[in-house]
């Protein structure tokens, strides 16, 4: 089955700087890669996703890049703000099984004022 | 407002007791899922359902049961056989993937705000 590794587990950046979170996946047939943001005591919220026919996708301060050859994808947040502090999860799916999403273990992003 | 509602927000279980977590969605989604989240861990799939009256085991189904009698509802029962039930439980839903073999997981999943289950 699919295996997703996510790094780093904790990331601290100064407000206004950029943050990058990286994930690798094992199943070369996977073709859908969402990113979720989870605030304390809440469920994960989808912030951006990318499919394997696209190399990069942007939405305001958030972007995701995908390298199918290397089987890794990354989340980029620019001009970070205090409200960006949360736990971020990457996920992968679509490798032909019916199991739904396989999640990474999460990155706790801390924005320092 | 369309969304997913999980209840209760907090739940306590006594030894030997079964407890049921509620999940209701009004998004008209066909697929529904239950995940378990432990501290410092990602989400692990317990059960999922693609259609009414049908459901499949995920990676960690032992000690859990589900039903899907209505499209809107997918309750999860944590049975006494689940020896380590303390966790944050998340329900999600999505539309089905396309017919062209893209699979169930190829659509965005929308999550509820979870139920935190603890042992008394």
């Amino acid at each position: 089955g699919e295996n997703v590794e996510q790094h780093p587990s904790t990331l601290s950046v100064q407000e206004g700087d950029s943050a990058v979170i990286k994930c690798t996946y094992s199943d070369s047939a996977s073709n859908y890669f969402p990113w979720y943001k989870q605030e304390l005591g809440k469920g994960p919220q989808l912030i951006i996703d990318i499919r394997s026919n696209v190399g990069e996708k942007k939405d305001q301060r958030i972007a995701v890049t995908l390298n199918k050859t290397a089987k890794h994808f990354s989340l980029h947040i620019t001009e970070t703000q205090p409200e960006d502090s949360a736990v971020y999860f990457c996920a992968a799916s679509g490798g032909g099984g019916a199991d739904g999403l396989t999640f990474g273990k999460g990155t706790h992003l801390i924005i320092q004022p | 407002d369309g969304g997913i509602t999980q209840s209760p927000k907090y739940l306590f279980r006594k030894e030997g007791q079964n407890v049921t977590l509620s999940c209701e969605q009004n998004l008209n989604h066909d697929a529904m899922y239950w995940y378990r989240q432990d501290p410092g861990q990602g989400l692990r799939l317990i059960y999922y359902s693609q259609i009414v009256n049908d459901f499949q085991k995920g990676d960690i189904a032992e000690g859990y049961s589900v039903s899907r009698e209505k499209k809107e509802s997918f309750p999860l029962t944590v049975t006494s056989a689940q020896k380590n039930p303390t966790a944050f439980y998340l329900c999600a839903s999505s539309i089905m993937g396309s017919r062209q073999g893209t699979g169930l997981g190829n659509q965005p999943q929308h999550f509820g705000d979870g139920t935190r289950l603890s042992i008394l």
Side-chain angles (χ1 to χ4, degrees), chain B residues 37-69:
Chain B
Q37 185 175 28
D38 294 284
Q41 300 292 315
L43 283 65
R44 292 183 290 166
L45 185 66
I46 304 173
Y47 269 98
Y48 63 96
S49 168
Q50 300 180 52
I51 196 169
V52 173
N53 292 323
D54 186 57
F55 46 83
Q56 307 295 328
K57 291 182 179 180
D59 299 320
I60 55 166
E62 187 174 348
Y64 300 97
S65 66
V66 293
S67 63
R68 187 87 187 276
E69 296 177 3

Side-chain angles (χ1 to χ4, degrees), chain A residues 74-86:
Chain A
S74 300
L75 177 71
H76 304 253
I77 305 175
T78 59
E79 300 172 12
T80 52
Q81 300 169 4
E83 54 264 36
D84 294 329
S85 293

Side-chain angles (χ1 to χ4, degrees), chain A residues 20-90:
Chain A
V20 180
I21 302 170
K22 299 181 179 181
C23 289
T24 60
Y25 61 99
S26 60
D27 188 347
S28 58
S30 287
N31 56 18
Y32 176 62
F33 308 93
W35 285 89
Y36 286 86
K37 175 183 180 182
Q38 186 177 28
E39 296 176 342
L40 196 61
K42 300 275 191 178
Q45 293 222 321
L46 179 70
I47 56 172
I48 196 167
D49 57 10
I50 192 168
R51 298 187 185 274
S52 58
N53 58 348
V54 174
E56 183 176 2
K57 183 176 178 181
K58 288 184 181 180
D59 182 4
Q60 301 183 349
R61 296 186 297 110
I62 294 173
V64 56
T65 58
L66 172 65
N67 183 327
K68 284 192 298 181
T69 304
K71 290 190 282 188
H72 68 69
F73 57 113
S74 300
L75 177 71
H76 304 253
I77 305 175
T78 59
E79 300 172 12
T80 52
Q81 300 169 4
E83 54 264 36
D84 294 329
S85 293
V87 179
Y88 292 80
F89 291 96
C90 63

Side-chain angles (χ1 to χ4, degrees), chain B residues 18-120:
Chain B
N18 293 352
V19 292
T20 297
L21 285 60
S22 170
C23 178
E24 303 277 332
Q25 55 99 358
N26 60 5
L27 299 167
N28 200 33
H29 286 167
D30 288 302
M32 296 186 75
Y33 315 77
W34 275 105
Y35 291 90
R36 170 180 171 138
Q37 185 175 28
D38 294 284
Q41 300 292 315
L43 283 65
R44 292 183 290 166
L45 185 66
I46 304 173
Y47 269 98
Y48 63 96
S49 168
Q50 300 180 52
I51 196 169
V52 173
N53 292 323
D54 186 57
F55 46 83
Q56 307 295 328
K57 291 182 179 180
D59 299 320
I60 55 166
E62 187 174 348
Y64 300 97
S65 66
V66 293
S67 63
R68 187 87 187 276
E69 296 177 3
K70 298 186 300 181
K71 185 176 183 178
E72 303 79 20
S73 179
F74 191 40
L76 172 75
T77 297
V78 184
T79 74
S80 56
Q82 173 48 246
K83 297 307 178 189
N84 184 23
T86 298
F88 191 46
Y89 290 88
L90 288 158
C91 179
S93 70
S94 73
I95 63 173
M96 287 294 289
S98 76
R99 290 183 182 178
Q100 292 178 335
T102 55
L104 182 68
N106 282 17
Q107 299 299 324
Q109 292 186 18
H110 301 267
F111 285 84
D113 277 338
T115 292
R116 189 166 298 281
L117 176 62
S118 302
I119 297 277
L120 276 181

